[in-house]
Amino acid sequence: MRRPLIAGNWKMHKTVGEAIELVAALKRELYDERKTEIVVCPPFTALGAVGEMLEGSVIRLGAQDCYWETEGAYTGAVSPRMLRDAGCAFVILGHSERRRSFGETNETVGRKIAAALAEGLTPIVCVGETLEKREQGVTDEIIRKQLDGCFAARDEGVLRACVIAYEPVWAIGTGRTATSAQAAAVHALIRMWARERHGQGAADALRVIYGGSVTADTIKGIMREDGIDGALVGGASLDAASFCRIVRYYT
Ligand code: PGA
């Protein structure tokens, strides 16, 4: 019922030329992919060029962040309207790297979600605990707090229009993937949170994807879990062959 989603988060990698090269290879390999919904999230500078290349393709474009205002004197910021104009359909919000290095909070993520939705973008909202919190045994509490903070508006329509990415901070870029069981437990918690708020229908419809050192070798085990609907892939999305294998995890 929920279509699997594999999104590549390129982070601060790839010049325009390198982005074009990678996307050309992805288009060649994945042109007939129907089962998995595919998203690539290049840096802002490459969005326009990649957006043009993806016109009419099954691969969709996403950005890695946005601001909540539409336009104005906000030096360095990029608005949802600009992302839409560049061809984006998705935007990653609340990534732990933005929370850690750029002062992102649940409150600002909430504002960005509203602004992105107003432009018709699908937010991929990231939540996840640090190693310290996991070891303290407060993972569930942290995830709930992030979800409550990001979705403070308590609007069912908002949640239905979003994808949630569970990304344990200790698994990002470390080569240390959460076990399928660890990931599945938090995914179940996120779905329970959605059910408590908006009922079974909303919980069943919500796509919850996993992120954190996903590779072509680990994706199968992750996707075998019931409540895991896809992956947000960092490092392994920078190489065409490995990203294609992840997209086609079911073969
Ligand atoms: P990683 O990054 O796959 O390199 O761990 C995932 C992410 O941060 O989205």
Side-chain angles (χ1 to χ4, degrees):
M1 186 182 60
R2 298 186 298 262
R3 188 171 178 211
L5 172 71
I6 300 288
N9 173 11
W10 295 5
K11 308 193 179 183
M12 199 173 74
H13 293 284
K14 307 284 180 192
T15 61
V16 175
E18 290 162 352
I20 287 173
E21 206 176 302
L22 175 54
V23 168
L26 296 180
K27 276 177 68 179
R28 258 192 322 271
E29 288 299 318
L30 299 172
Y31 69 93
D32 62 348
E33 175 59 36
R34 289 284 174 268
K35 182 175 164 68
T36 307
E37 183 168 27
I38 313 160
V39 181
V40 292
C41 305
F44 288 132
T45 47
L47 285 177
V50 171
E52 269 178 38
M53 287 180 80
L54 292 181
E55 270 172 39
S57 151
V58 297
I59 304 171
R60 313 191 65 196
L61 186 67
Q64 301 172 18
D65 184 38
C66 69
Y67 194 52
W68 56 76
E69 296 289 350
T70 304
E71 61 181 14
Y74 305 103
T75 301
V78 176
S79 74
R81 181 161 169 253
M82 292 165 176
L83 298 184
R84 188 86 221 168
D85 181 52
C88 289
F90 288 79
V91 58
I92 299 170
L93 294 175
H95 191 282
S96 63
E97 287 154 14
R98 296 219 57 93
R99 292 176 188 262
R100 190 185 58 217
S101 305
F102 301 97
E104 190 81 87
T105 64
N106 294 325
E107 198 255 323
T108 57
V109 174
R111 295 175 79 164
K112 291 177 176 187
I113 291 171
L117 289 177
E119 238 3 277
L121 300 169
T122 299
I124 300 175
V125 181
C126 303
V127 295
E129 80 288 1
T130 59
L131 185 58
E132 189 193 357
K133 296 294 178 193
R134 174 160 284 267
E135 284 173 348
Q136 286 169 9
V138 293
T139 298
D140 290 12
E141 226 173 294
I142 293 294
I143 302 295
R144 277 183 179 275
K145 200 168 150 196
Q146 290 175 341
L147 292 169
D148 285 336
C150 294
F151 295 96
R154 303 185 78 87
D155 178 330
E156 180 175 346
V158 168
L159 186 65
R160 278 189 184 265
C162 291
V163 172
I164 293 183
Y166 168 53
E167 296 208 307
V169 177
W170 48 272
I172 295 176
T174 57
R176 186 174 162 194
T177 323
T179 64
S180 301
Q182 281 173 325
V186 178
H187 281 239
L189 167 82
I190 294 170
R191 215 172 294 285
M192 193 200 305
W193 170 87
R195 191 179 63 225
E196 286 165 11
R197 277 208 160 192
H198 300 301
Q200 193 67 46
D204 287 345
L206 180 66
R207 285 195 290 184
V208 186
I209 64 177
Y210 168 80
S213 294
V214 171
T215 65
D217 295 324
T218 57
I219 187 71
K220 264 189 207 294
I222 290 165
M223 293 305 288
R224 231 176 263 132
E225 296 292 335
D226 257 357
I228 301 184
D229 304 310
L232 183 55
V233 186
S237 73
L238 298 173
D239 173 72
S242 83
F243 190 63
C244 291
R245 278 180 63 206
I246 294 171
V247 167
R248 297 232 158 104
Y249 67 90
Y250 55 87
T251 57

